[in-house]
Amino acid sequence: MPLILETVVTTLSATGEMHLVPFGLIREGEDFVLAPFRPSPTIENLTSRPCFAASAPSDVRVIAGAVTGRRDWPVVDCDRIEGKRLADCFGHAEFEVASIEDDATRPRYRGQMVHAVSHVPFIGYNRAQGAVIEAAILSTRLHMLEPEKILTEMAYHAIAIAKTAGPAEHEAWNWIEDKVAAALGRSGRVLDGTSRPS
């Protein structure tokens, strides 16, 4: 199985508009592969500007926010490529697209790292942060999964939220829970026993 790193990827359009989205980068040797599904603004952007940045957010609300329509997070200019990266992150890397494996469904963009830097010490994610990341990924696959599968997965991740989440993780979880509830046609909490602050 390939090593996949959960990051926040940023690309620029031909007119300079930024697109920010969580992405799992696939490690292949010294390169990292970006494989978005069509249709995708990321694909359009890489066509005109074949480079991208990947950031490791220090706040998991960025990932939860991006998958629930909250994409207005602070960014700064990249160092070596024409692009933007998260302002608040443990570290980031900048890539130039070295080759493209075209596909009608999911093209693969092989990125060669041209710059990487650590911004703040990374001690580790707690269980709640990991649960938010997993739930965020789950929330992008609601059209592919049966409701029972979704509820089972959410219930499992809710255990870590209840035990280890701080205010930021609670807020991120609530955004995702609201998205899942809307997709399942429910009102209020998706799960009994999730730890939603009052």
Side-chain angles (χ1 to χ4, degrees), residues 13-84:
S13 71
T15 56
E17 296 177 349
M18 185 191 70
H19 182 64
L20 178 153
V21 65
F23 253 117
L25 288 185
I26 306 165
R27 179 74 182 262
E28 292 187 356
E30 296 300 313
D31 299 333
F32 287 85
V33 174
L34 187 62
F37 287 97
R38 296 184 187 275
S40 168
T42 298
I43 293 174
E44 295 177 12
N45 291 354
L46 290 174
T47 300
S48 57
R49 297 177 189 251
C51 57
F52 61 93
S55 303
S58 51
D59 186 340
V60 292
R61 285 179 296 186
V62 177
I63 293 175
V67 300
T68 58
R70 299 167 174 87
R71 298 177 184 270
D72 189 20
W73 301 97
V75 294
V76 296
D77 290 336
C78 287
D79 299 317
R80 302 280 179 84
I81 65 170
E82 189 177 7
K84 303 284 185 180

Side-chain angles (χ1 to χ4, degrees), residues 101-147:
E101 183 181 327
D102 200 12
D103 185 80
T105 302
R106 195 180 188 188
R108 292 164 54 88
Y109 296 83
R110 181 173 295 275
Q112 289 187 341
M113 189 184 299
V114 296
H115 182 63
V117 61
S118 175
H119 302 293
V120 295
F122 174 67
I123 299 174
Y125 288 119
N126 70 15
R127 288 179 59 205
Q129 291 167 326
V132 168
I133 293 171
E134 290 297 329
I137 296 169
L138 178 69
S139 78
T140 67
R141 299 172 179 172
L142 300 177
H143 62 293
M144 301 165 56
L145 301 172
E146 294 296 326

